[in-house]
Amino acid sequence: MIPQRHDTSRIGLLGGSFNPAHEGHREISLAALKHLRLDAVWWLVTPGNPLKDASYDYAPYEKRLAAARRISNDPRIIISDFERRKSL
């Protein structure tokens, strides 16, 4: 689901594997919202990181997505599976 935004919305993007999602992700998102005067920050949860070794052990994608939703705990932080949907 893509949240409805206006043409003038200021959106920040935070991409990563979120393996695991943690308070640090939330804190930098809240800081960006405040200091950059953003309307929202979208967390782009990636299926995998091309900069990490192929044998890197990821938690299952759905669990990482669910944890990101739980940790974000702010309606201005939008959790997106865009990268997974676009890689299919």
Side-chain angles (χ1 to χ4, degrees), residues 40-84:
V41 172
W42 290 18
W43 290 6
L44 303 172
V45 181
T46 184
N49 184 333
L51 302 176
K52 291 185 179 172
D53 187 286
S55 65
Y56 186 77
D57 190 25
Y58 288 98
Y61 185 80
E62 292 302 326
K63 287 189 177 193
R64 292 186 285 130
L65 203 61
R69 289 188 176 116
R70 196 171 46 256
I71 294 290
S72 65
N73 195 31
D74 190 297
R76 299 168 300 166
I77 301 174
I78 308 301
I79 311 307
S80 173
D81 66 347
F82 173 82
E83 287 196 30
R84 180 184 63 174

Side-chain angles (χ1 to χ4, degrees), residues 31-46:
L33 286 160
K34 178 180 178 181
H35 295 292
L36 300 175
R37 296 187 301 239
L38 300 176
D39 297 306
V41 172
W42 290 18
W43 290 6
L44 303 172
V45 181
T46 184

Side-chain angles (χ1 to χ4, degrees), residues 5 9 11 16 18 21 23 26 38 42 58 67 69 74-75:
R5 299 288 178 217
S9 292
I11 308 295
F18 294 89
E23 278 296 317
R26 185 174 189 278
L38 300 176
W42 290 18
Y58 288 98
R69 289 188 176 116
D74 190 297

